[in-house]
Amino acid sequence: MRLLHTSDWHLGRTLHGVNLHEAQSAVLERICELVEDPPDGIPIDAVLVAGDVYDRGVPPVESVQLFEWTLSRLSAVTTVVVTSGNHDSAIRLGYGAGLFRDSIRMVTDLGQLDLPLLLEGSDGVRAAVYGIPYLDPDHARVALAGGGEPLPRSHQAVVGAACDRIRADLADRPGVRSVVLAHAFVAGAEPSDSERSIMVGGVDRVAGTVFAGIDYAALGHLHGPQAPESADGSVVRYSGSPLRYSFSEQDHEKVVLLVDLDASGPARVTPVEIVQPRAMATLRGRLDELLESPSFASAEAAWVRVTVTDRVRPDSLMDRLKSRFPHALQVFHEPEGAIDRGRGGTTVVSERDPRELGSDFIAYVTKTEASGGEVDVFEAGFEAAVRAQHRAEAQEVA
């Protein structure tokens, strides 16, 4: 059996104010071509999309149309399984799922997570494909408790409970390979600047061993392709996003993953590069060097982030840079000899531990070290604000 694993399309996203619709259309076109005409001629039995189809709960109309076009094209030649991510509105993404043809499975509801799609590959291998939609611990800890006491308030607890339900269903399916789609932050994996924090209670990670007993876990949420540690016998992979969404990803080779499952043995994973519609580059130097040096010629068509090091900030800086680099998105001025404040190594505010963020903020405002109680209050307020923001984006505020 062969599967194609992708995730984190983030349809509707912008890059420093630039509409990415055209670029997203190009990478989805490439994915469709791979499915319609596989590189080695082996047919793809299912496409797995592990969450964050959209970038926000209420996506632009053109993004909804692009997803419809892609889904229609893929489902004409194979089965497509889609789960919701933390950026998606699960209700909106799953609307109409009960009306779709058999070749489209949308998993956006907790009640579906132990109801697998049963597939048979072209060579007779059978597999049960389960989808775990993004689990908000505050909701899922009650929904997955089975009527008992709520589960601990953590991603580890709720993802673990979901996998327990899946393993219980698998116990009655001897000889069937198992595949799970999940949208989560697995410990040991490396984030980039473009993922939204899912931290709850100061913790956002789950252990890779939570997928023990699963042949292949197709993960979404992190934008770089990678293989976090997992239990023996399980293969756990992030496909990453098919498009670069921040300058922290400029060196990522964007891929989709071809996953081959035999009747026994570990899953075999082959990355297939998705050529980027436009390169990314980070440039640094004096303005005259940037405008004249042939060493920067390769960046003329790229999305660029530029740091100008002239001792005095040049006039009309952005306009002059755009005369050579028309796709310049960020411009900074850092005079030669100035103290390097390490912008490239700092953590985006939205990705920082809220306790650390709150402690720094309170210390800055009060000029004294924050107490544990003050940080507790800040963390509670931070998490309440994040939840309210997510509800507002999905227009689901009570």
Side-chain angles (χ1 to χ4, degrees):
M1 175 175 293
R2 170 163 285 183
L3 311 169
L4 185 147
H5 169 198
T6 179
S7 72
D8 295 274
W9 293 355
H10 288 281
L11 303 183
R13 194 173 190 127
T14 60
L15 179 66
H16 298 289
V18 174
N19 188 322
L20 293 177
H21 181 75
E22 183 177 340
Q24 291 174 327
S25 299
V27 297
L28 293 185
E29 169 74 22
R30 175 59 177 146
I31 291 173
C32 290
E33 290 173 350
L34 284 171
V35 176
E36 293 166 343
D37 185 18
D40 55 4
I42 299 176
I44 292 171
D45 296 296
V47 173
L48 314 177
V49 186
D52 282 353
V53 171
Y54 296 121
D55 192 58
R56 54 185 184 271
V58 185
V61 170
E62 64 179 3
S63 298
V64 177
Q65 292 171 333
L66 176 57
F67 180 50
E68 179 186 22
W69 173 85
T70 305
L71 199 60
S72 176
R73 189 165 164 184
L74 291 173
S75 64
V77 292
T78 191
T79 299
V80 186
V81 184
V82 182
T83 58
S84 51
N86 60 300
H87 280 250
D88 298 308
S89 164
I91 293 174
R92 285 180 171 82
L93 182 63
Y95 174 76
L99 306 176
F100 289 154
R101 66 189 81 169
D102 292 341
S103 57
I104 300 174
R105 172 66 68 91
M106 307 288 288
V107 185
T108 61
D109 185 272
L110 289 179
Q112 300 172 287
L113 60 82
D114 56 354
L115 302 176
L117 172 67
L118 301 176
L119 293 177
E120 184 168 340
S122 54
D123 57 358
V125 172
R126 295 179 300 147
V129 181
Y130 301 84
I132 302 177
Y134 170 69
L135 302 176
D136 182 331
D138 287 318
H139 168 65
R141 64 193 292 255
V142 176
L144 294 175
E149 286 294 316
L151 300 171
R153 186 172 178 262
S154 71
H155 289 282
Q156 176 71 30
V158 296
V159 176
C163 288
D164 286 344
R165 290 193 179 191
I166 290 170
R167 281 186 285 264
D169 183 78
L170 274 172
D172 296 326
R173 302 182 189 275
V176 175
R177 306 310 303 269
S178 55
V179 177
V180 170
L181 288 74
H183 199 85
F185 191 162
V186 172
E190 291 294 327
S192 65
D193 288 347
S194 53
E195 298 113 8
R196 176 190 288 168
S197 175
I198 58 172
M199 193 170 291
V200 170
V203 179
D204 55 2
R205 291 163 173 78
V206 302
T209 53
V210 77
F211 300 106
I214 306 300
D215 292 314
Y216 184 75
L219 301 183
H221 182 57
L222 301 186
H223 291 181
Q226 50 198 300
E229 291 186 10
S230 57
D232 289 344
S234 295
V235 176
V236 178
R237 292 289 189 275
Y238 282 101
S239 65
S241 61
L243 187 66
R244 295 176 182 136
Y245 286 118
S246 71
F247 283 100
S248 67
E249 300 175 36
Q250 72 178 46
D251 295 326
H252 286 186
E253 179 181 300
K254 294 301 185 180
V255 301
V256 294
L257 302 179
L258 295 181
V259 182
D260 290 300
L261 275 173
D262 297 327
S264 62
R268 291 173 283 113
V269 181
T270 305
V272 178
E273 182 181 4
I274 300 295
V275 176
Q276 297 299 281
R278 193 178 300 282
M280 275 186 170
T282 297
L283 311 179
R284 184 180 183 91
R286 297 192 309 274
L287 182 60
D288 58 350
E289 294 174 336
L290 291 164
L291 295 180
E292 298 171 10
S293 173
S295 64
F296 296 118
S298 62
E300 290 176 356
W303 282 313
V304 297
R305 173 175 60 179
V306 186
T307 300
V308 178
T309 60
D310 297 59
R311 296 196 66 179
V312 177
R313 182 183 178 89
D315 294 333
S316 305
L317 182 54
M318 178 63 90
D319 290 340
R320 294 166 72 181
L321 285 168
K322 283 200 168 187
S323 68
R324 184 177 189 185
F325 308 106
H327 304 288
L329 301 182
Q330 287 185 301
V331 175
F332 305 95
H333 177 229
E334 291 184 3
E336 289 179 344
I339 297 174
D340 183 3
R341 300 189 182 278
R343 184 188 67 251
T346 58
T347 304
V348 176
V349 169
S350 63
E351 297 299 319
R352 292 182 63 189
D353 182 334
R355 296 190 67 83
E356 177 189 355
L357 187 66
S359 181
D360 288 351
F361 174 75
I362 293 166
Y364 175 79
V365 172
T366 65
K367 310 302 182 188
T368 59
E369 186 175 348
S371 69
E374 289 173 326
V375 176
D376 289 343
V377 171
F378 182 93
E379 181 185 20
F382 180 95
E383 292 182 357
V386 169
R387 291 195 299 272
Q389 178 189 8
H390 295 176
R391 288 197 300 269
E393 287 176 353
Q395 294 186 348
E396 294 170 4
V397 180

